Amino acid sequence: MTAYTATVTVRLKRGVLDPEAETTKRALDRLGFELDALRSTDRYEIDLDAADADDAAERAGEMAERLLANPTIHDYDVEVEQAE
Amino acid sequence: MTAYTATVTVRLKRGVLDPEAETTKRALDRLGFELDALRSTDRYEIDLDAADADDAAERAGEMAERLLANPTIHDYDVEVEQAE
């Protein structure tokens, strides 16, 4: 078994309203910053032991499906790196 | 002016308690997943026009300092990519 860090990025699907990001963007506008758009995403860095990188990615993907992402409104992707 | 996307990643400093991540980890444990640790970070993808990548990074860094991160408890980093 090897130690890996799987990073799961969860973002809203295109077209799903993101009031938190809208509010953040408006606050930045009000502070005088110029920006065209702002999107927010959640990232989970998961340390786990796995036989290989594919196994780690598969398990992190299952965690996303079961708990971290809501498939109705979220897309997610998984990246795996061997832990130092 | 060129269109850039600046990604600001905001994470809790080492040693700062993260009850949300703890709760998420326990929920995954309870679902039968085996993992050693879980950290959560917030990411903001900001579309902006800037003279060059350094200018885009500087402005995104200021947004982090002013609003997106709380310097008492957060570290942040900024990555800039030219928008497609």
Side-chain angles (χ1 to χ4, degrees), chain B residues 6 10 32 39 42 48 68 84:
Chain B
V10 178
R39 295 172 296 283
D42 287 323
L48 73 179
L68 305 176
E84 285 129 36

Side-chain angles (χ1 to χ4, degrees), chain B residues 15-27:
Chain B
V16 178
L17 293 177
D18 186 348
E20 184 188 334
E22 277 304 304
T23 305
T24 306
K25 182 182 181 301
R26 269 205 300 278

Side-chain angles (χ1 to χ4, degrees), chain A residues 31-32 43 63 69 79-80:
Chain A
L31 287 169
R43 281 192 129 198
M63 294 180 204
E79 288 162 54
V80 171

